[in-house]
Amino acid sequence: MLKGNDMRVWPGVPYPLGAVYDGAGTNFSLFSEIAERVELCFFDQEGSETRVDLPEVTGYCWHGYLPSVEPGQRYGYRVHGPWDPANGHRCNPAKLLLDPYAKAIDGRVDWSPAVFPYRFDEGPDSRNEEDSAPFVPKSVVHQPHFDWAGDRRLQLPWHETVIYETHVKGLTARHPDVPDELRGTYAGMAQPAVIDYLKQLEITAVELMPVHQFVHDKHLADRDLRNYWGYNSIGYFAPHHPYAAGKRPGAAVPEFKHLVKTLHQAGIEVILDVVYNHTAEGNHLGPMLCFKGIDNAYYYRLTEDRRYYMDYTGTGNSLNMSPPHVLQLIMDSLRYWVLEMHVDGFRFDLAATLARELHDVDRLSTFLDLIHQDPVISQVKLIAEPWDVGEGGYQVGNFPPVWTEWNGKYRDCVRDFWRGKDQTLGEFALRFTGSSDLYERTSRLPYASINFVTAHDGFTLNDLVSYNDKRNAANGEENRDGESHNRSWNCGAEGPTDNAQIIELRNRQKRNFLATLLLSQGVPMVLGGDEVGRTQGGNNNAYCQDNEISWYDWENVDGELLDFCRRLIRYRKDHPVFSRRGWFQGRPIHGNEANDIAWFTMDGKQMVEKDWGQGFAKTLAVFLNGKTIPNPNPRGEPTVDDTFYLLVNAHYEPLRFKLPDQTWSPRWKTVLDTAKGWESGEVEHEAADAIEIEARSLCLLHAIADG
């Protein structure tokens, strides 16, 4: 506990915001336009509190320097100001508030009534004078020094990227080769067994589900559940401390840095899933943890009746992206994670929300302009989730050139195609070739499309082919939550089955999805665990399942599927024809005779317009010429690859495909057949031969050069 001379407060400086330790003491600075007085509160290990007033105000930044405060010190703020909900003001010094710029956070929310700014029995406009400090997390002065030992961002090209979406805890919580005390932690993910697994899979980037400090919602705690996914942020600079193996305050920071450093040494980039569109404070009925008590009307979008919050996110509130200090907070956070934590990019949850100005999605919004202009953020990988719940919220294809996007249209089309839906052939061709209809008009290239078939939100790959209907009863909402229209198909039985034919079909469908994903133009994203057959028992909304439903089951790995997926990723890496930087030149796709790509019918003839218009059509073949890749390699040398012929049969019966004449290639060899798996290449075919393709399968042929 700070005592006596320890409590000396010097004026300090307004910037940088947050708590900054300089080796001799710590400067504290907090922005609040509405505050009339700000108390800085320190806590010892027993929870005893000491308060000091921040003595200086510069440009609405309240600041002071304490020469004796060192890393590990827990602290918070109490903000004195107007309580006027009708005008959007909710200052309440009885509530201890987190520092928005806290680099480390310790403790959790205990859902006492004291955490809420109002009295339950008097309504949301009443004022609750109970002290919240014993029930809320505390900010921690962090130690900024870390030995990076020459670590640097890898800057892997987008078109060579293969993303693996995973969860820090779920990946290792049940891993037999990770020590018990490290499972579910940053240190656990950095263990050699996990790193070796990721290296052998040959993915190039991990996309980590939220690691910003987040809160377990009260409604989940009341049902003995937890916010497993983490889309409930409250600290935009602090790594989530329960994922730290060490228990001392601030331990999460060096542990996370060590994880990044270890992944970089393995040649793997780190992309963070970030949630800047809303916070854990919810709506007018939610708790007061940070922004709501610091300057509610400044940080949040409010409705015309300023007691209430504009909700574009489905979580109760939306951050107000117009005021300069909110934009500064987000940009400072992004730069911190790049410059100090060495991450390689970001996936922005509900990114359309961030781009809203005056309730419209504006491609030239202030936020997107700032990203584009920033010398740090514009140079890392940027992925937008292009929708929110507001009007016109689905904005796929509408982000500016520096952005890539989660392509939900790719997911929907590929699912529909392989379950045999009519009228999907033309769109399947577009999605397979990079979705030029979405991205080419904004001068973007195929890698603007982040292709995925499954993601954390929805069925796993195993469940996609095993369930027609969701099974979300464990979430405690009587199966009302989650998406009901999943474009899934159970292949003839709902859930687990002993039927050998159904099992074989499901395995084939899994191979179809993975092969389509990894042979398509664009950037593939594999959902972590799909490669080993992970199941959630049909739960398609496992956001609250911090347990065996969501955690990887390393004891029951589908080894054959894992080997299939590994070889697919390796094959994609070895053959740049599947990951071109530029568009195919056959524009439009339909009926074009361009020599870098050509489309064929089952009888070996090039497709014409009427072939695309047959709604019942479930088959096609595509010629991919590796000799005509226009973009050189990084050294300016021509990119030359082999030539391939892909035969696709989404029909429910086997069909015979005639190969094209010898002008395309005199001979071919089979390298992949999803009905069987990888082939040795010994099976050869002459031009114009007929090949039987199994029902619901694809076959990849490799051209055999003369001589």
Side-chain angles (χ1 to χ4, degrees):
M1 176 64 84
L2 299 171
K3 298 178 180 178
N5 291 333
D6 292 342
M7 297 305 298
R8 290 174 298 164
V9 185
W10 299 355
V13 292
Y15 290 99
L17 291 161
V20 179
Y21 176 68
D22 62 5
T26 303
N27 189 82
F28 295 86
S29 182
L30 175 75
F31 170 81
S32 175
E33 199 173 82
I34 199 68
E36 298 166 355
R37 176 189 168 204
V38 174
E39 291 180 294
L40 174 59
C41 311
F42 297 105
F43 296 84
D44 64 12
Q45 291 184 340
E46 287 73 41
S48 299
E49 180 179 358
T50 301
R51 305 183 188 182
V52 299
D53 279 14
L54 289 178
E56 299 282 330
V57 188
T58 306
Y60 299 115
C61 295
W62 298 74
H63 55 92
Y65 180 92
L66 281 85
S68 55
V69 173
E70 298 181 342
Q73 176 64 60
R74 299 190 304 157
Y75 72 98
Y77 292 107
R78 299 181 186 272
V79 175
H80 299 255
W83 173 266
D84 185 6
N87 287 304
H89 306 313
R90 297 181 180 270
C91 295
N92 187 346
K95 310 306 169 187
L96 185 79
L97 306 174
L98 287 167
D99 182 354
Y101 278 76
K103 307 303 191 300
I105 292 173
D106 183 57
R108 62 185 180 90
V109 178
D110 292 328
W111 290 107
S112 162
V115 173
F116 296 83
Y118 61 94
R119 295 189 176 277
F120 291 169
D121 57 351
E122 297 179 19
D125 291 345
S126 63
R127 181 164 162 144
N128 184 344
E129 301 290 348
E130 294 180 79
D131 184 9
S132 70
F135 310 104
V136 295
K138 314 296 189 294
S139 308
V140 179
V141 178
H142 90 299
Q143 171 57 261
H145 306 297
F146 181 79
D147 182 10
W148 284 104
D151 179 79
R152 60 180 179 83
R153 285 196 298 112
L154 300 175
Q155 295 184 296
L156 300 175
W158 260 125
H159 69 286
E160 296 177 6
T161 298
V162 179
I163 299 172
Y164 186 78
E165 188 193 32
T166 189
H167 189 287
V168 168
K169 185 173 185 179
L171 180 63
T172 64
R174 304 172 70 185
H175 201 297
D177 297 325
V178 174
D180 289 352
E181 67 274 13
L182 300 182
R183 292 181 181 179
T185 68
Y186 305 120
M189 188 172 174
Q191 285 291 290
V194 181
I195 299 298
D196 287 347
Y197 175 83
L198 296 172
K199 286 176 66 176
Q200 291 170 15
L201 192 57
E202 297 202 57
I203 52 94
T204 68
V206 291
E207 182 178 304
L208 299 178
M209 293 182 67
V211 297
H212 286 169
Q213 186 71 35
F214 63 86
V215 171
H216 298 290
D217 320 58
K218 183 179 186 301
H219 71 91
L220 295 178
D222 291 343
R223 302 202 297 267
D224 293 323
L225 298 171
R226 294 162 59 83
N227 192 320
Y228 174 68
W229 287 354
Y231 293 98
N232 205 23
S233 303
I234 199 62
Y236 292 124
F237 294 80
H240 191 57
H241 76 85
Y243 293 165
K247 302 308 174 190
R248 59 178 178 80
V253 180
E255 268 193 42
F256 182 85
K257 289 179 177 178
H258 176 69
L259 171 59
V260 173
K261 179 180 172 181
T262 305
L263 286 165
H264 283 177
Q265 290 170 343
I268 299 171
E269 295 186 313
V270 180
I271 297 171
L272 299 188
D273 193 339
V274 291
V275 191
Y276 293 109
N277 50 72
H278 71 275
T279 77
E281 292 187 299
N283 59 17
H284 61 291
L285 301 176
M288 181 174 284
L289 303 171
C290 183
F291 308 96
K292 190 180 285 186
I294 294 172
D295 200 331
N296 183 66
Y298 192 93
Y299 280 104
Y300 291 116
R301 287 185 180 271
L302 305 180
T303 64
E304 187 173 345
D305 185 341
R306 296 178 67 79
R307 294 174 299 171
Y308 305 112
Y309 297 80
M310 187 68 71
D311 182 11
Y312 288 123
T313 64
T315 58
N317 64 56
S318 303
L319 277 181
N320 186 2
M321 302 300 296
S322 298
H325 279 87
V326 180
L327 288 168
Q328 180 189 358
L329 170 78
I330 294 172
M331 297 301 294
D332 285 350
S333 168
L334 292 168
R335 281 190 289 265
Y336 174 78
W337 284 96
V338 174
L339 297 174
E340 299 298 327
M341 307 295 261
H342 286 210
V343 305
D344 304 278
F346 306 94
R347 179 265 188 188
F348 290 79
D349 179 67
L350 301 180
T353 303
L354 300 174
R356 284 189 177 271
E357 290 190 351
L358 302 176
H359 314 308
D360 292 319
V361 178
D362 183 355
R363 288 179 51 242
L364 302 178
S365 71
T366 304
F367 173 70
L368 299 182
D369 277 349
L370 284 176
I371 293 286
H372 197 89
Q373 296 166 15
D374 190 273
V376 174
I377 309 307
S378 64
Q379 301 306 303
V380 303
K381 288 182 166 66
L382 301 173
I383 306 172
E385 182 189 30
W387 55 81
D388 63 21
V389 300
E391 183 179 353
Y394 192 45
Q395 294 293 313
V396 67
N398 289 337
F399 280 75
V402 298
W403 290 81
T404 65
E405 301 175 25
W406 267 27
N407 190 347
K409 289 191 175 183
Y410 180 95
R411 172 201 60 198
D412 294 347
C413 175
V414 171
R415 288 186 179 191
D416 280 342
F417 181 77
W418 282 115
R419 69 188 177 102
K421 186 181 178 184
D422 292 341
Q423 304 288 346
T424 56
L425 197 65
E427 187 178 3
F428 181 83
L430 281 169
R431 304 296 159 242
F432 181 80
T433 52
S435 296
S436 58
D437 59 321
L438 299 177
Y439 304 111
E440 191 175 22
R441 61 185 172 80
T442 52
S443 300
R444 289 184 286 174
L445 296 171
Y447 54 76
S449 181
I450 306 298
N451 299 332
F452 65 103
V453 176
T454 53
H456 68 271
D457 189 2
F459 282 137
T460 66
L461 181 62
N462 182 85
D463 294 355
L464 183 68
V465 301
S466 303
Y467 295 90
N468 287 346
D469 302 307
K470 61 187 180 181
R471 297 286 187 273
N472 296 355
N475 297 352
E477 299 179 42
E478 300 180 347
N479 208 42
R480 293 190 302 268
D481 63 305
E483 177 59 60
S484 296
H485 181 49
N486 295 283
R487 295 178 164 86
S488 61
W489 178 46
N490 64 20
C491 300
E494 189 73 358
T497 181
D498 295 325
N499 186 303
Q501 289 183 319
I502 293 176
I503 293 172
E504 194 281 327
L505 176 56
R506 288 177 177 177
N507 290 336
R508 196 189 324 152
Q509 286 285 71
K510 284 187 273 189
R511 293 192 291 268
N512 287 335
F513 282 123
L514 287 172
T516 303
L517 176 67
L518 287 157
L519 298 179
S520 293
Q521 305 297 314
V523 178
M525 185 186 77
V526 177
L527 172 62
D530 276 356
E531 76 281 6
V532 295
R534 184 173 71 91
T535 178
Q536 294 178 166
N539 193 321
N540 74 352
N541 189 35
Y543 76 103
C544 56
Q545 299 300 329
D546 189 4
N547 51 47
E548 287 79 2
I549 290 175
S550 294
W551 300 341
Y552 292 35
D553 181 3
W554 293 106
E555 299 295 331
N556 295 288
V557 167
D558 185 338
E560 290 186 2
L561 186 62
L562 175 58
D563 181 65
F564 179 84
C565 188
R566 282 173 173 165
R567 294 184 66 176
L568 261 174
I569 296 173
R570 163 49 57 185
Y571 208 76
R572 179 185 176 90
K573 283 188 170 183
D574 290 343
H575 293 286
V577 73
F578 300 116
S579 56
R580 296 161 51 106
R581 281 195 291 130
W583 298 107
F584 288 105
Q585 297 304 302
R587 309 299 311 153
I589 288 175
H590 299 178
N592 194 278
E593 297 183 2
N595 64 2
D596 60 351
I597 185 171
W599 302 89
F600 292 83
T601 62
M602 285 173 52
D603 60 4
K605 306 295 184 181
Q606 281 194 264
M607 296 180 70
V608 295
E609 194 65 34
K610 68 179 180 65
D611 297 319
W612 295 101
Q614 294 177 354
F616 58 85
K618 306 286 191 305
T619 63
L620 59 80
V622 55
F623 171 87
L624 299 168
N625 192 343
K627 306 296 188 285
T628 58
I629 300 174
N631 306 106
N633 68 20
R635 296 185 177 183
E637 302 162 336
T639 303
V640 179
D641 194 10
D642 301 327
T643 292
F644 295 90
Y645 195 70
L646 182 67
L647 304 99
V648 181
N649 178 20
H651 189 58
Y652 61 83
E653 292 179 325
L655 295 171
R656 293 183 67 80
F657 284 69
K658 185 179 179 181
L659 298 180
D661 64 47
Q662 62 181 0
T663 60
W664 301 93
S665 176
R667 287 176 299 142
W668 302 89
K669 62 181 179 181
T670 302
V671 292
L672 171 63
D673 184 344
T674 57
K676 303 171 185 176
W678 288 95
E679 300 280 340
S680 64
E682 296 177 355
V683 179
E684 296 188 5
H685 315 278
E686 300 291 327
D689 278 357
I691 305 176
E692 184 167 282
I693 306 298
E694 182 60 71
R696 294 191 171 94
S697 69
L698 62 81
C699 185
L700 183 66
L701 306 184
H702 181 287
I704 302 175
D706 288 330

